[in-house]
mmCIF file of all heavy atoms in Angstrom:
data_model
loop_
_atom_site.group_PDB
_atom_site.id
_atom_site.type_symbol
_atom_site.label_atom_id
_atom_site.label_comp_id
_atom_site.label_asym_id
_atom_site.label_seq_id
_atom_site.Cartn_x
_atom_site.Cartn_y
_atom_site.Cartn_z
ATOM 1 N N ASP A 116 -11.583 -1.847 -6.423
ATOM 2 C CA ASP A 116 -11.791 -2.936 -7.387
ATOM 3 C C ASP A 116 -11.506 -2.466 -8.808
ATOM 4 O O ASP A 116 -10.911 -3.194 -9.603
ATOM 5 C CB ASP A 116 -13.226 -3.481 -7.299
ATOM 6 C CG ASP A 116 -13.463 -4.257 -6.004
ATOM 7 O OD1 ASP A 116 -12.471 -4.738 -5.413
ATOM 8 O OD2 ASP A 116 -14.625 -4.380 -5.599
ATOM 9 N N GLU A 117 -11.910 -1.238 -9.128
ATOM 10 C CA GLU A 117 -11.644 -0.681 -10.462
ATOM 11 C C GLU A 117 -10.139 -0.547 -10.699
ATOM 12 O O GLU A 117 -9.633 -0.855 -11.780
ATOM 13 C CB GLU A 117 -12.288 0.703 -10.614
ATOM 14 C CG GLU A 117 -13.791 0.691 -10.712
ATOM 15 C CD GLU A 117 -14.365 2.105 -10.700
ATOM 16 O OE1 GLU A 117 -13.913 2.952 -9.904
ATOM 17 O OE2 GLU A 117 -15.266 2.350 -11.504
ATOM 18 N N ILE A 118 -9.432 -0.088 -9.678
ATOM 19 C CA ILE A 118 -7.983 0.079 -9.794
ATOM 20 C C ILE A 118 -7.305 -1.273 -10.020
ATOM 21 O O ILE A 118 -6.501 -1.440 -10.940
ATOM 22 C CB ILE A 118 -7.407 0.796 -8.550
ATOM 23 C CG1 ILE A 118 -7.922 2.236 -8.485
ATOM 24 C CG2 ILE A 118 -5.877 0.764 -8.550
ATOM 25 C CD1 ILE A 118 -7.602 2.971 -7.197
ATOM 26 N N LYS A 119 -7.681 -2.247 -9.193
ATOM 27 C CA LYS A 119 -7.056 -3.572 -9.308
ATOM 28 C C LYS A 119 -7.373 -4.207 -10.661
ATOM 29 O O LYS A 119 -6.489 -4.776 -11.323
ATOM 30 C CB LYS A 119 -7.506 -4.488 -8.170
ATOM 31 C CG LYS A 119 -6.749 -5.806 -8.161
ATOM 32 C CD LYS A 119 -7.028 -6.625 -6.931
ATOM 33 C CE LYS A 119 -6.182 -7.897 -6.938
ATOM 34 N NZ LYS A 119 -6.432 -8.718 -5.757
ATOM 35 N N GLU A 120 -8.603 -4.085 -11.084
ATOM 36 C CA GLU A 120 -9.019 -4.650 -12.375
ATOM 37 C C GLU A 120 -8.217 -4.039 -13.534
ATOM 38 O O GLU A 120 -7.754 -4.750 -14.428
ATOM 39 C CB GLU A 120 -10.519 -4.380 -12.577
ATOM 40 C CG GLU A 120 -11.176 -5.204 -13.643
ATOM 41 C CD GLU A 120 -12.679 -4.925 -13.696
ATOM 42 O OE1 GLU A 120 -13.360 -5.071 -12.659
ATOM 43 O OE2 GLU A 120 -13.136 -4.552 -14.789
ATOM 44 N N ALA A 121 -8.035 -2.729 -13.494
ATOM 45 C CA ALA A 121 -7.270 -2.045 -14.547
ATOM 46 C C ALA A 121 -5.810 -2.511 -14.550
ATOM 47 O O ALA A 121 -5.238 -2.766 -15.614
ATOM 48 C CB ALA A 121 -7.345 -0.535 -14.354
ATOM 49 N N LEU A 122 -5.220 -2.647 -13.372
ATOM 50 C CA LEU A 122 -3.818 -3.063 -13.276
ATOM 51 C C LEU A 122 -3.638 -4.515 -13.702
ATOM 52 O O LEU A 122 -2.651 -4.861 -14.365
ATOM 53 C CB LEU A 122 -3.290 -2.855 -11.858
ATOM 54 C CG LEU A 122 -3.161 -1.401 -11.404
ATOM 55 C CD1 LEU A 122 -2.853 -1.333 -9.925
ATOM 56 C CD2 LEU A 122 -2.091 -0.657 -12.208
ATOM 57 N N LEU A 123 -4.609 -5.372 -13.352
ATOM 58 C CA LEU A 123 -4.514 -6.790 -13.714
ATOM 59 C C LEU A 123 -4.547 -7.014 -15.224
ATOM 60 O O LEU A 123 -4.081 -8.037 -15.711
ATOM 61 C CB LEU A 123 -5.634 -7.593 -13.039
ATOM 62 C CG LEU A 123 -5.413 -7.924 -11.564
ATOM 63 C CD1 LEU A 123 -6.678 -8.479 -10.935
ATOM 64 C CD2 LEU A 123 -4.249 -8.906 -11.387
ATOM 65 N N LYS A 124 -5.091 -6.048 -15.948
ATOM 66 C CA LYS A 124 -5.078 -6.150 -17.415
ATOM 67 C C LYS A 124 -3.660 -5.970 -17.962
ATOM 68 O O LYS A 124 -3.369 -6.345 -19.090
ATOM 69 C CB LYS A 124 -6.010 -5.102 -18.037
ATOM 70 C CG LYS A 124 -7.475 -5.415 -17.817
ATOM 71 C CD LYS A 124 -8.369 -4.340 -18.391
ATOM 72 C CE LYS A 124 -9.830 -4.687 -18.101
ATOM 73 N NZ LYS A 124 -10.733 -3.591 -18.464
ATOM 74 N N ILE A 125 -2.790 -5.384 -17.150
ATOM 75 C CA ILE A 125 -1.410 -5.129 -17.571
ATOM 76 C C ILE A 125 -0.453 -6.184 -17.018
ATOM 77 O O ILE A 125 0.366 -6.729 -17.743
ATOM 78 C CB ILE A 125 -0.941 -3.724 -17.108
ATOM 79 C CG1 ILE A 125 -1.911 -2.657 -17.592
ATOM 80 C CG2 ILE A 125 0.478 -3.443 -17.588
ATOM 81 C CD1 ILE A 125 -1.687 -1.286 -16.964
ATOM 82 N N CYS A 126 -0.554 -6.449 -15.707
ATOM 83 C CA CYS A 126 0.419 -7.336 -15.066
ATOM 84 C C CYS A 126 -0.158 -7.935 -13.783
ATOM 85 O O CYS A 126 -1.166 -7.454 -13.271
ATOM 86 C CB CYS A 126 1.700 -6.565 -14.749
ATOM 87 S SG CYS A 126 1.529 -5.321 -13.447
ATOM 88 N N PRO A 127 0.492 -8.984 -13.242
ATOM 89 C CA PRO A 127 0.071 -9.505 -11.943
ATOM 90 C C PRO A 127 0.110 -8.386 -10.892
ATOM 91 O O PRO A 127 1.048 -7.582 -10.890
ATOM 92 C CB PRO A 127 1.103 -10.579 -11.623
ATOM 93 C CG PRO A 127 1.710 -10.945 -12.942
ATOM 94 C CD PRO A 127 1.642 -9.708 -13.783
ATOM 95 N N THR A 128 -0.909 -8.339 -10.055
ATOM 96 C CA THR A 128 -1.046 -7.265 -9.073
ATOM 97 C C THR A 128 -1.481 -7.834 -7.733
ATOM 98 O O THR A 128 -2.436 -8.593 -7.670
ATOM 99 C CB THR A 128 -2.096 -6.231 -9.561
ATOM 100 O OG1 THR A 128 -1.672 -5.708 -10.821
ATOM 101 C CG2 THR A 128 -2.271 -5.096 -8.568
ATOM 102 N N ASP A 129 -0.760 -7.483 -6.688
ATOM 103 C CA ASP A 129 -1.150 -7.850 -5.318
ATOM 104 C C ASP A 129 -1.595 -6.569 -4.636
ATOM 105 O O ASP A 129 -0.814 -5.621 -4.541
ATOM 106 C CB ASP A 129 0.036 -8.438 -4.545
ATOM 107 C CG ASP A 129 0.544 -9.747 -5.132
ATOM 108 O OD1 ASP A 129 0.092 -10.135 -6.228
ATOM 109 O OD2 ASP A 129 1.412 -10.373 -4.505
ATOM 110 N N MET A 130 -2.845 -6.541 -4.175
ATOM 111 C CA MET A 130 -3.364 -5.350 -3.494
ATOM 112 C C MET A 130 -3.823 -5.754 -2.102
ATOM 113 O O MET A 130 -4.716 -6.562 -1.951
ATOM 114 C CB MET A 130 -4.525 -4.734 -4.291
ATOM 115 C CG MET A 130 -5.009 -3.426 -3.691
ATOM 116 S SD MET A 130 -6.444 -2.727 -4.567
ATOM 117 C CE MET A 130 -5.646 -1.819 -5.864
ATOM 118 N N LEU A 131 -3.161 -5.194 -1.094
ATOM 119 C CA LEU A 131 -3.505 -5.464 0.301
ATOM 120 C C LEU A 131 -3.464 -4.143 1.063
ATOM 121 O O LEU A 131 -2.801 -3.213 0.639
ATOM 122 C CB LEU A 131 -2.461 -6.385 0.958
ATOM 123 C CG LEU A 131 -2.414 -7.851 0.622
ATOM 124 C CD1 LEU A 131 -1.585 -8.087 -0.618
ATOM 125 C CD2 LEU A 131 -1.788 -8.597 1.781
ATOM 126 N N ASN A 132 -4.114 -4.120 2.227
ATOM 127 C CA ASN A 132 -4.047 -2.928 3.055
ATOM 128 C C ASN A 132 -2.784 -3.017 3.926
ATOM 129 O O ASN A 132 -2.827 -3.450 5.068
ATOM 130 C CB ASN A 132 -5.297 -2.760 3.909
ATOM 131 C CG ASN A 132 -5.346 -1.414 4.599
ATOM 132 O OD1 ASN A 132 -4.315 -0.781 4.821
ATOM 133 N ND2 ASN A 132 -6.522 -0.958 4.936
ATOM 134 N N PHE A 133 -1.659 -2.636 3.342
ATOM 135 C CA PHE A 133 -0.388 -2.657 4.060
ATOM 136 C C PHE A 133 -0.353 -1.588 5.147
ATOM 137 O O PHE A 133 0.344 -1.732 6.138
ATOM 138 C CB PHE A 133 0.776 -2.437 3.083
ATOM 139 C CG PHE A 133 0.964 -3.556 2.094
ATOM 140 C CD1 PHE A 133 0.491 -3.439 0.796
ATOM 141 C CD2 PHE A 133 1.607 -4.727 2.459
ATOM 142 C CE1 PHE A 133 0.662 -4.463 -0.129
ATOM 143 C CE2 PHE A 133 1.785 -5.761 1.539
ATOM 144 C CZ PHE A 133 1.315 -5.628 0.250
ATOM 145 N N GLN A 134 -1.123 -0.510 4.944
ATOM 146 C CA GLN A 134 -1.145 0.569 5.937
ATOM 147 C C GLN A 134 -1.678 0.063 7.274
ATOM 148 O O GLN A 134 -1.181 0.443 8.324
ATOM 149 C CB GLN A 134 -2.003 1.736 5.441
ATOM 150 C CG GLN A 134 -1.905 2.970 6.322
ATOM 151 C CD GLN A 134 -0.521 3.593 6.300
ATOM 152 O OE1 GLN A 134 -0.018 3.965 5.254
ATOM 153 N NE2 GLN A 134 0.108 3.704 7.464
ATOM 154 N N GLU A 135 -2.672 -0.816 7.209
ATOM 155 C CA GLU A 135 -3.252 -1.393 8.427
ATOM 156 C C GLU A 135 -2.185 -2.139 9.231
ATOM 157 O O GLU A 135 -2.130 -2.045 10.455
ATOM 158 C CB GLU A 135 -4.379 -2.351 8.005
ATOM 159 C CG GLU A 135 -5.310 -2.774 9.088
ATOM 160 C CD GLU A 135 -6.462 -3.568 8.492
ATOM 161 O OE1 GLU A 135 -6.250 -4.707 8.039
ATOM 162 O OE2 GLU A 135 -7.581 -3.023 8.479
ATOM 163 N N VAL A 136 -1.330 -2.874 8.531
ATOM 164 C CA VAL A 136 -0.241 -3.615 9.189
ATOM 165 C C VAL A 136 0.783 -2.631 9.765
ATOM 166 O O VAL A 136 1.206 -2.758 10.907
ATOM 167 C CB VAL A 136 0.436 -4.589 8.189
ATOM 168 C CG1 VAL A 136 1.608 -5.305 8.840
ATOM 169 C CG2 VAL A 136 -0.581 -5.580 7.646
ATOM 170 N N ALA A 137 1.149 -1.634 8.948
ATOM 171 C CA ALA A 137 2.137 -0.641 9.385
ATOM 172 C C ALA A 137 1.643 0.128 10.609
ATOM 173 O O ALA A 137 2.418 0.394 11.531
ATOM 174 C CB ALA A 137 2.456 0.329 8.247
ATOM 175 N N ASP A 138 0.352 0.466 10.631
ATOM 176 C CA ASP A 138 -0.209 1.245 11.741
ATOM 177 C C ASP A 138 -0.044 0.539 13.085
ATOM 178 O O ASP A 138 0.048 1.186 14.125
ATOM 179 C CB ASP A 138 -1.682 1.568 11.500
ATOM 180 C CG ASP A 138 -1.876 2.647 10.447
ATOM 181 O OD1 ASP A 138 -0.877 3.309 10.070
ATOM 182 O OD2 ASP A 138 -3.023 2.825 9.987
ATOM 183 N N LYS A 139 0.001 -0.786 13.079
ATOM 184 C CA LYS A 139 0.169 -1.552 14.329
ATOM 185 C C LYS A 139 1.603 -1.449 14.843
ATOM 186 O O LYS A 139 1.867 -1.712 16.009
ATOM 187 C CB LYS A 139 -0.217 -3.017 14.106
ATOM 188 C CG LYS A 139 -1.698 -3.196 13.877
ATOM 189 C CD LYS A 139 -2.034 -4.637 13.565
ATOM 190 C CE LYS A 139 -3.516 -4.750 13.220
ATOM 191 N NZ LYS A 139 -3.830 -6.020 12.568
ATOM 192 N N ILE A 140 2.535 -1.078 13.957
ATOM 193 C CA ILE A 140 3.947 -0.947 14.340
ATOM 194 C C ILE A 140 4.265 0.541 14.501
ATOM 195 O O ILE A 140 4.603 1.009 15.573
ATOM 196 C CB ILE A 140 4.864 -1.569 13.257
ATOM 197 C CG1 ILE A 140 4.465 -3.031 12.997
ATOM 198 C CG2 ILE A 140 6.326 -1.475 13.665
ATOM 199 C CD1 ILE A 140 4.985 -3.591 11.699
ATOM 200 N N ASN A 141 4.162 1.250 13.360
ATOM 201 C CA ASN A 141 4.357 2.696 13.274
ATOM 202 C C ASN A 141 3.942 3.061 11.852
ATOM 203 O O ASN A 141 4.446 2.454 10.905
ATOM 204 C CB ASN A 141 5.834 3.044 13.519
ATOM 205 C CG ASN A 141 6.101 4.539 13.408
ATOM 206 O OD1 ASN A 141 5.625 5.201 12.498
ATOM 207 N ND2 ASN A 141 6.879 5.055 14.338
ATOM 208 N N PRO A 142 3.020 4.020 11.685
ATOM 209 C CA PRO A 142 2.514 4.342 10.346
ATOM 210 C C PRO A 142 3.607 4.622 9.314
ATOM 211 O O PRO A 142 3.431 4.383 8.133
ATOM 212 C CB PRO A 142 1.658 5.597 10.570
ATOM 213 C CG PRO A 142 1.297 5.568 12.006
ATOM 214 C CD PRO A 142 2.419 4.859 12.724
ATOM 215 N N ARG A 143 4.755 5.082 9.792
ATOM 216 C CA ARG A 143 5.842 5.453 8.875
ATOM 217 C C ARG A 143 6.619 4.245 8.348
ATOM 218 O O ARG A 143 7.551 4.402 7.562
ATOM 219 C CB ARG A 143 6.774 6.442 9.561
ATOM 220 C CG ARG A 143 6.037 7.740 9.923
ATOM 221 C CD ARG A 143 6.929 8.727 10.600
ATOM 222 N NE ARG A 143 7.958 9.207 9.701
ATOM 223 C CZ ARG A 143 7.903 10.347 9.035
ATOM 224 N NH1 ARG A 143 6.866 11.144 9.175
ATOM 225 N NH2 ARG A 143 8.886 10.713 8.245
ATOM 226 N N THR A 144 6.243 3.041 8.769
ATOM 227 C CA THR A 144 6.944 1.837 8.296
ATOM 228 C C THR A 144 6.247 1.206 7.082
ATOM 229 O O THR A 144 6.608 0.110 6.664
ATOM 230 C CB THR A 144 7.055 0.772 9.417
ATOM 231 O OG1 THR A 144 5.736 0.370 9.819
ATOM 232 C CG2 THR A 144 7.839 1.286 10.609
#
Side-chain angles (χ1 to χ4, degrees):
D116 290 337
E117 289 173 317
I118 294 171
K119 187 171 183 180
E120 196 176 304
L122 293 171
L123 282 169
K124 289 178 182 172
I125 306 169
C126 69
T128 301
D129 296 8
M130 185 183 274
L131 286 85
N132 189 336
F133 294 100
Q134 189 66 58
E135 195 173 70
V136 177
D138 286 348
K139 291 176 185 165
I140 305 162
N141 179 316
R143 298 180 66 98
T144 62

